[in-house]
Amino acid sequence: MKVYTEAVHFTADQKLIEFIEKKLGKLDTFFDRIIEARVNLKLENSGQVKDKIAEVRISVPGDILIAKHTDKTFEASIDKITDVLKRQLVKYKERMRETI
């Protein structure tokens, strides 16, 4: 699976990019036909607290799975997103089996 990471209004360091690729790479164990993952990282400036917003779009044959989460760090957001995407991939895989 190819992972594309885009950071909006800041530059993501290499450690963060490697963390994202490692976490999303584990999703291949749940569904091995993932085409690509597109990650958008944004900073939300609401008041004094700067929250980190991460959004991941995963392309699978015939569909796109999307998960978005806001947290204090990008790592925490990506952790939550991978949990959500695992559930979505399992449901998607079950739907694929039912149609066959």
Side-chain angles (χ1 to χ4, degrees), residues 16-88:
L16 177 60
I17 293 171
E18 288 171 4
F19 175 82
I20 291 169
E21 289 176 354
K22 180 181 169 194
K23 278 294 204 178
L24 294 180
K26 292 179 181 177
L27 293 175
D28 278 335
T29 59
F30 296 94
F31 188 68
D32 59 351
R33 293 174 46 204
I34 298 172
I35 300 165
E36 69 177 17
R38 295 201 173 266
V39 181
N40 283 329
L41 304 173
K42 296 180 215 163
L43 295 172
E44 181 182 272
N45 296 328
S46 60
Q48 299 202 340
V49 178
K50 289 188 178 180
D51 284 333
K52 277 64 170 187
I53 303 169
E55 181 181 53
V56 179
R57 295 170 179 261
I58 291 188
S59 299
V60 291
D63 209 355
I64 295 176
L65 307 177
I66 302 171
K68 184 176 183 179
H69 190 75
T70 304
D71 214 315
K72 300 290 179 218
T73 65
F74 285 119
E75 289 84 358
S77 293
I78 294 296
D79 276 339
K80 298 275 195 246
I81 286 174
T82 51
D83 291 340
V84 170
L85 288 172
K86 282 177 194 175
R87 287 193 300 274
Q88 288 184 16

